[in-house]
Amino acid sequence: MVSPPNVSTNVRRYWWLFLIRGLLGLALGVVALPYPGATLAGAVILIGAYLFVDGIVAVAKAIQILRSDKHWWVLLLEGILGIAAGVVIFFWPGISLLSLALLVGYWAIISGVFSIASAFRLRTHVPGEWLYMLFAVVSIVFGILVIAAPAIGLVYIALMIAIYGFVIGVTMIALAFQARKQPI
């Protein structure tokens, strides 16, 4: 009987999933930064697409580590939350800025909490797990800022989203290359 691969093997094997999440974050930042005055509809589509695709990537990764990591469900919940938030945004594009800000803020906080759990698990398998912890902390801080001031306007939300995208993109890409270096 062949035993399933361990967490370290899966982190190394699926390093590219961290890279995809990082590239998605950078894409979010690149698109959001030069157009801070974009219409609410544009921001809704951008945020919804990011949350949906990031959720799919997280669910795919959770399914891939199902047999080797007993905490796979944390990543699955994070992914399902992202997909659900993206679907809500797409089906109700006319939601107010306040509702959108609160939805994104709560998603970022919950996603950050799940990422902290993942970072603690990775600390024995990947050097540089602090990058994943940084991702988690940035996500939580971003969520708190959005919830604290939801009515500040689209320009501020777009700027925060751009900064969030850049920071998350860089940290996830760095984590991907750390994971890629791991011996199998």
Side-chain angles (χ1 to χ4, degrees):
M1 182 169 144
V2 177
S3 63
N6 63 24
V7 175
S8 294
T9 301
N10 277 330
V11 166
R12 166 74 164 102
R13 183 177 296 146
Y14 300 114
W15 67 273
W16 54 272
L17 288 171
F18 291 112
L19 180 65
I20 289 172
R21 291 181 78 184
L23 292 173
L24 286 170
L26 284 179
L28 176 65
V30 165
V31 172
L33 188 60
Y35 303 107
T39 64
L40 179 58
V44 167
I45 291 168
L46 179 66
I47 294 166
Y50 173 76
L51 295 177
F52 187 78
V53 173
D54 185 63
I56 289 172
V57 170
V59 167
K61 184 170 184 220
I63 291 169
Q64 289 174 338
I65 65 171
L66 180 71
R67 293 189 177 152
S68 62
D69 187 348
K70 67 180 181 177
H71 300 287
W72 61 272
W73 59 271
V74 173
L75 189 57
L76 180 68
L77 287 176
E78 179 185 348
I80 291 170
L81 179 66
I83 292 169
V87 167
V88 166
I89 289 171
F90 281 126
F91 283 111
W92 291 288
I95 61 176
S96 70
L97 179 58
L98 177 63
S99 297
L100 176 62
L102 293 175
L103 179 66
V104 169
Y106 287 119
W107 167 81
I109 290 169
I110 293 168
S111 178
V113 169
F114 286 138
S115 294
I116 286 173
S118 294
F120 277 112
R121 272 193 0 268
L122 285 177
R123 75 178 184 271
T124 58
H125 303 286
V126 180
E129 80 285 351
W130 64 271
L131 292 167
Y132 207 37
M133 184 63 78
L134 177 62
F135 163 77
V137 170
V138 168
S139 187
I140 292 169
V141 169
F142 172 75
I144 290 169
L145 289 173
V146 170
I147 290 169
I152 56 177
L154 182 58
V155 173
Y156 185 61
I157 294 291
L159 180 60
M160 289 175 60
I161 290 167
I163 292 168
Y164 177 77
F166 284 123
V167 172
I168 295 311
V170 168
T171 57
M172 292 301 275
I173 289 169
L175 182 62
F177 287 108
Q178 286 286 357
R180 187 173 181 217
K181 291 183 205 178
Q182 291 302 301
I184 292 183

